[in-house]
Each structure stands twice: as structure tokens, then as C-alpha cells.
Amino acid sequence: MATATTDLAAFIRGLPKAELHLHLEGTLEPALKFALASRNGIELAESTVAEVEATYQFHDLTSFLQVYYPAMRVLQQAQDFHDLAFAYLTRAHADGVRHVEMFFDPQAHTSRGVRFDTVISGYRSAIVQARREFGMSAELIMCFLRDQSAEYAMATLMEALPYKEWIIGVGLDSDERGNPPSKFAEVFARARREGFLLTMHCDIDQDNSIEHIRQALEDIGVDRIDHGTNIIENDALVELARSRGIAFTCCPVSNSFVTQSGKSEEILTLLNRGILVTVNSDDPSYFGAYAADNYVALTNSAEVTIDQVVALAKNSFQASWISTARRDAFLLEVDRYVGDNT
Ligand code: HPA
Ligand code: ZN
């Protein structure tokens, strides 16, 4: 049994896991931001990593997004998107991540004149390289910006259709305030008909959190929910999510930035109630925590047993959009790792 804190952190880092809530644009580390700005002849207001980090003053989702979106202007060419994704995949590999399903926000790029195919071809080549070099698997989930119109989301879905083979599902992110799931019902219905899997953010402690979670589950019929721990306030919805095997991709460190609480107790209570909760990093370069760091943060902020840590890692594969055969192989890998390391 791993006991000391350092042993536990090492155990967590080596534990095979999947990451299911990761925004590629949220992996932009300040050093890469400078390199890309220089490559593309872009002047930045900050000139040191410390100056960039000093702008990371987040107290809620909106204040985070106000820093997050403007930083993306350094991403211009396919090579930039490749470098961003490959840097993340390399870092995740070191954290025991065997499989990842990564969000990207095409509208954050097409809206400033970068072509859709530039974005996706850069991301795709990084995925192919990670598979070749690390044996790691990765998928893309295309998110619509919920503070933009449903028409723009639909147009983006149409633009993505030629790249269907490279996109496993669609999601919904950005500012939830006043932008309920129902606004995108038609877009998600069309995405479903086109064969995409469905997920969407139900961010933490939003106005109408419960109604948004209800819409996602009952009206849209999502396969997963990103964040969504407010479901704990409604027993009937918890039971619905449990009976349907709906997974919740939780992000403890991100939660602590945007709501001042990691929501660890909520995550563990949902785990104990049989909900498929998983632990993820969301926007690791902004929140200073990659996949394993989020498991460690959870164990630091609540009483968590090794068995629960292992259950969370297993949940990450159970909730992944992979074949049954690969899921079984990953679960066996977890069991072997636990057998060898406890
Ligand atoms: N919520 C909404 N939008 C986002 C997030 C998030 O957690 N991360 C990056 N964009
Ligand atoms: Zn997110």
C-alpha cells in the first residue's frame, strides 16, 4: 500500500489513466506562447513568463475566459497547432495518460481568420506523431462556443463534416451564463445524426445549473457531461445519470480557480453513489496542474483511499469513447499496475 505522500504522488503518476476533459487551447504554456509569437511576428504585451502568469487572475469562469481567448492569437499556422498539441501529448504521456479525448474550439480561430483545415490538420498530425512515438491514442472533440449564435455553431458543424473521421464527438464550452444547452438543441440533434458522440459543459455553480444539467440529460441526450457536479443537488437527476451510465469529467484544480473550491467532496460523494466520475485537467497551463496533479490535488483536499484513486482511473477508461476490447485491455493494465505497486 502506498503510504507516504511522495509515494502516493508517484503511484498516481504511473497509474494508467485516460484524460477526457482537456482543452488543447488551455495547454498553451507561456514559453510556447513566446516561441509562437516570435515565429509569427506577433508582439505581446508581456515579455517574461512571470509577466504572463501575473495576468492569470481568475475568480470565476468569465474572468478566466477573458484571459484565455485573447492568448490564442499566437496560433496561426498548422505547425503552431501541431506544436501545441504535441507538447501537451508529450507532457500527458509522462503522467501515465494512455488515451486522451481533447477539446478544441475551432470558432476561436476561424473567427479571427484562421482556416478550419489549418487548425485540424495541425492537431491531427500531432495525434499521429504521438501514436507513433508513444503508442498513445488521442481523439478530438469539437466544441461550439455557447456565447456565439446557434447559427454559427451549425455552420461550424457543416464545415467539420469533411473531417468526420478525425472528430469523435462534439461539445459545448465558453461562457454558460445565459447560454443554456437548449440554445443548441438543433445543432446537437444534427451532430447526433451525423454520427458524433455528444458531451457538453455544465460548469460549476452556474445560474440555473440544475436546469442546464436536466436539459443536457433529458432534452439533448448527451453521452457525457463536462464538470456537472451540481447534479448532486438533485437526487432524481443523479439516479437518471447513474442508470444511464453518464460520465462526469471533473477537474478539481480548475474548480478551485473558478469557484474557490475543488469540489472534492462532491466528486467523492458522486463516486460513492455509483456515478462514473473522472478526474481531468481542463486547462493545465492556466491552472498549473496536469492530469496526475489533479488526482494529487483531490487526495490532498479530502480523505481519499487508494481504492478510490484506482476507481477514478478505471472510470476514465469506462467513460472513454473507445472499443470494448481496448477498454478491457486498459483495465487489465490498471489491475497489473496496482498489483505490482501496492
Ligand atoms: N468551461 C467553459 N469553457 C472553457 C472551459 C471550461 O471549463 N475551459 C476552457 N474553456
Ligand atoms: Zn472545460
Side-chain angles (χ1 to χ4, degrees):
M1 181 68 82
T3 45
T5 315
T6 48
D7 287 354
L8 179 60
F11 174 83
I12 285 172
R13 207 161 298 280
L15 183 63
K17 57 183 83 61
E19 171 134 82
L20 306 178
H21 187 154
L22 180 281
H23 299 262
L24 275 168
E25 291 87 357
T27 69
L28 180 60
E29 291 286 350
L32 182 60
K33 186 178 179 188
F34 288 128
L36 297 181
S38 156
R39 178 187 286 172
N40 292 318
I42 293 170
E43 276 217 30
L44 295 175
E46 306 86 18
S47 51
T48 64
V49 170
E51 281 173 22
V52 173
E53 286 173 353
T55 67
Y56 293 178
Q57 307 280 344
F58 322 127
H59 52 275
D60 58 13
L61 180 61
T62 307
S63 56
F64 163 67
L65 296 171
Q66 280 165 355
V67 174
Y68 177 68
Y69 284 111
M72 294 179 200
R73 68 193 176 98
V74 300
L75 294 160
Q76 296 280 341
Q77 315 167 48
Q79 186 68 45
D80 306 338
F81 293 94
H82 171 101
D83 292 351
L84 178 69
F86 194 68
Y88 162 71
L89 290 164
T90 304
R91 180 67 185 74
H93 175 62
D95 259 6
V97 175
R98 297 282 200 279
H99 171 76
V100 53
E101 294 169 9
M102 312 183 290
F103 298 129
F104 73 114
D105 281 352
Q107 292 163 284
H109 312 300
T110 55
S111 61
R112 55 188 178 81
V114 177
R115 290 165 50 116
F116 187 96
D117 72 318
T118 300
V119 178
I120 198 159
S121 62
Y123 285 152
R124 176 69 191 174
S125 65
I127 288 172
V128 171
Q129 189 178 349
R131 184 167 60 211
R132 216 175 48 236
E133 290 191 18
F134 314 134
M136 204 176 159
S137 57
E139 299 283 356
L140 290 171
I141 300 173
M142 179 175 78
C143 281
F144 305 111
L145 301 187
R146 69 196 309 160
D147 50 353
Q148 302 287 319
S149 70
E151 291 71 25
Y152 188 12
M154 188 66 95
T156 301
L157 178 61
M158 295 303 109
E159 204 170 4
L161 292 184
Y163 304 95
K164 242 185 193 178
E165 293 301 312
W166 292 353
I167 302 171
I168 195 163
V170 300
L172 189 66
D173 64 4
S174 197
D175 206 342
E176 187 166 332
R177 200 168 20 160
N179 298 299
S182 58
K183 174 176 168 185
F184 297 94
E186 244 182 78
V187 179
F188 275 73
R190 178 66 189 265
R192 175 69 91 198
R193 288 201 299 279
E194 295 291 347
F196 295 103
L197 291 162
L198 310 183
T199 188
M200 59 173 56
H201 280 60
C202 289
D203 272 279
I204 309 289
D205 296 346
Q206 295 291 304
D207 296 344
N208 302 320
S209 266
I210 288 296
E211 170 57 12
H212 290 188
I213 292 168
R214 191 204 63 72
Q215 287 179 9
L217 289 172
E218 292 189 347
D219 302 343
I220 309 283
V222 291
D223 300 291
R224 284 205 301 245
I225 287 185
D226 304 306
H227 300 297
T229 48
N230 287 84
I231 194 171
I232 209 162
E233 297 157 22
N234 186 302
D235 285 342
L237 288 179
V238 170
E239 183 45 30
L240 179 65
R242 199 197 54 72
S243 66
R244 285 196 195 160
I246 302 292
F248 289 71
T249 64
C250 304
C251 310
V253 178
S254 164
N255 293 347
S256 65
F257 274 89
V258 301
T259 73
Q260 292 74 50
S261 160
K263 304 291 179 187
S264 304
E265 296 300 339
E266 288 85 341
I267 293 168
L268 293 168
T269 302
L270 288 169
L271 180 70
N272 294 339
R273 288 180 69 177
I275 298 283
L276 212 47
V277 283
T278 67
V279 171
N280 308 273
S281 65
D282 208 4
D283 302 284
S285 90
Y286 290 92
F287 304 135
Y290 283 80
D293 306 318
N294 274 272
Y295 281 74
V296 170
L298 186 76
T299 65
N300 286 340
S301 62
E303 281 290 317
V304 186
T305 65
I306 291 275
D307 285 351
Q308 286 174 315
V309 169
V310 173
L312 289 163
K314 285 190 168 181
N315 278 359
S316 72
F317 294 116
Q318 294 287 9
S320 292
W321 291 335
I322 53 181
S323 68
T324 310
R326 293 195 64 230
R327 185 189 325 286
D328 290 348
F330 281 131
L331 293 173
L332 204 62
E333 222 188 296
V334 174
D335 283 335
R336 274 208 210 98
Y337 177 84
V338 173
D340 292 347
N341 291 280
T342 55

